[in-house]
Amino acid sequence: MFNRRKFLASAAALAASQIPAISRAQSDPLRIGMLSCKSGALASGGKQMEDGFALFLKERGNILAGRQVELIVADTGGQPALAKTRAQELIQRSHVDLIVGPVAAFEALAINDYLAEAKVPFLCSSAAAEDLTQRKLNPWFVRTSSTSAQPCHPLGDYAAKELGYKSVITIADDFAFGQEQTAGFQRVFEANGGKIQTKLWAPLTTADYGTYISQMSGVDAIFAAFAGANGLRFLKQYSDYGMKDQIPVISAMTTVDEGVLKSMGDEAVGIVSAGWYSAALPTKENIAFVDQLRKVTGVDPGFYSVGAYSAGLALEAALKATNGNTGDKEAFIAALKKVEISNDPRGPWKLDNFGNPVQNIYIRKVERKDGRLVNSVIKTYDQVSQFWNYNPEQFLASPVYSRNDPAKI
């Protein structure tokens, strides 16, 4: 005997069973795992990264492409081994859809192979290790900051051509980020007739830079590449030794990043640096961003907070392209790699074929305005590639930038 009620119930069950799993997954929360750093020399960067991403989510009511967002933050302690453990926990226990972060290059290098094997989208907001978008490509990796050397190539060009420097001593944190920044600056500076007299390397935990400062003489400028609070310590001690008025300092982006600039004084005034962002950019997007972040944190945004905010913009664009679906991971990462962002506080950018931004690099000068120190933009290099002006194939045929490559000539 025909039972209409049972028939309809069976038909409904069959239809439900045939709805693709990815469609049902779109109604689930989007679980984002963030690898941050809450202790050690890089803790300030971790805090800023969290602040930038939190502001992005707050502006959107914690909903992206119709999906509620669940953000799970894990502390790496700035340690590569712990970073890998935390990444494993986020994926295996928390079942996150993607990873955002981490702060440091050595952390990203420590987890990259694992995330590639696990096929988990890796949206790198800060860590700038060169080879992550060069010789050791992870098909699940996209970066929203830059390579270490990307801003330093233009700085080498500017130092030689416009500042007229002929000889420089470099000093940097002795880990991948500092080494690669120095190498990028050196390559372009020396290609334009400059000479690196000496390269000095300071451990990440250095507290007293006196022995390094005592070796600084007989050159036109000092190039300084530091992360976290190390730029603050070095510049203060450099000034205390009476060196500020003797040999000018030029620097990588993070040495005078807004995250530490707020704690600096006259020792920072006049320093020329290069970076893909400045809180002093006069665009409407940046003015609004700076205003909102100041309300939350009381300070200007910088490298880590903007990199994380940009990661949010890239994620949003990819989710819109896939109608909020992350269940089809191949389609999602393909959409992520195609994003072109026009409304970023830092200016427009798009990804190259290696998953790294092509973006404006700004030459900045520290000035005091309205009672605080700012990185005023004095020149813009438009849409700079991670390969600078070099042929990518030839660039990649050389070893990755390091302590000794390029060698001092």
Side-chain angles (χ1 to χ4, degrees), residues 125-141:
S125 64
S126 299
E130 296 279 307
D131 256 359
L132 290 173
T133 54
Q134 292 178 8
R135 299 161 193 82
K136 297 179 179 179
L137 292 180
N138 167 1
W140 300 93
F141 181 92

Side-chain angles (χ1 to χ4, degrees), residues 43-233:
S44 61
K47 176 64 167 59
Q48 293 159 48
M49 184 174 70
E50 292 178 49
D51 289 339
F53 201 74
L55 174 63
F56 170 81
L57 292 178
K58 180 181 178 182
E59 289 177 344
R60 287 148 181 83
N62 216 47
I63 295 174
L64 295 177
R67 294 179 65 178
Q68 189 72 30
V69 175
E70 183 178 347
L71 179 63
I72 305 167
V73 180
D75 179 17
T76 67
Q79 302 174 39
L82 187 55
K84 185 172 182 180
T85 298
R86 294 291 182 256
Q88 291 170 330
E89 291 171 350
L90 286 170
I91 292 166
Q92 297 171 16
R93 296 181 187 176
S94 301
H95 305 292
V96 298
D97 294 294
L98 71 152
I99 295 289
V100 175
V103 173
F106 52 73
E107 295 175 306
L109 290 168
I111 65 175
N112 190 52
D113 287 347
Y114 169 70
L115 295 183
E117 291 172 6
K119 297 184 178 180
V120 173
F122 183 4
L123 187 50
C124 187
S125 64
S126 299
E130 296 279 307
D131 256 359
L132 290 173
T133 54
Q134 292 178 8
R135 299 161 193 82
K136 297 179 179 179
L137 292 180
N138 167 1
W140 300 93
F141 181 92
V142 166
R143 179 166 24 219
T144 60
S145 54
S146 70
T147 65
S148 308
Q150 192 169 359
C152 296
H153 290 143
L155 184 62
D157 183 83
Y158 187 83
K161 293 180 179 177
E162 302 201 31
L163 295 178
Y165 295 155
K166 299 298 183 184
S167 60
V168 167
I169 289 173
T170 69
I171 181 168
D173 289 322
D174 195 7
F175 73 125
F177 188 43
Q179 293 164 10
E180 292 172 355
Q181 287 176 310
T182 300
F185 170 81
Q186 176 190 347
R187 182 176 185 178
V188 177
F189 181 64
E190 291 188 333
N192 285 282
K195 182 175 179 60
I196 302 299
Q197 296 289 2
T198 304
K199 293 196 283 188
L200 302 173
W201 305 105
L204 193 58
T205 55
T206 299
D208 186 351
Y209 291 93
T211 56
Y212 302 99
I213 294 171
S214 66
Q215 301 176 58
M216 296 176 177
S217 63
V219 292
D220 295 324
I222 306 299
F223 169 80
F226 294 107
N230 290 347
L232 172 66
R233 283 191 285 268

Side-chain angles (χ1 to χ4, degrees), residues 42 54 110 116 135 141 145 151 154 158 182 198 212 237 243 245 258 272 279 288 293 308 353 367 383 407:
L42 301 176
R135 299 161 193 82
F141 181 92
S145 54
Y158 187 83
T182 300
T198 304
Y212 302 99
Q237 292 173 33
M243 294 293 291
D245 295 328
E258 281 81 354
V272 171
L293 202 66
N353 293 334
E367 298 178 339
Q383 297 301 289

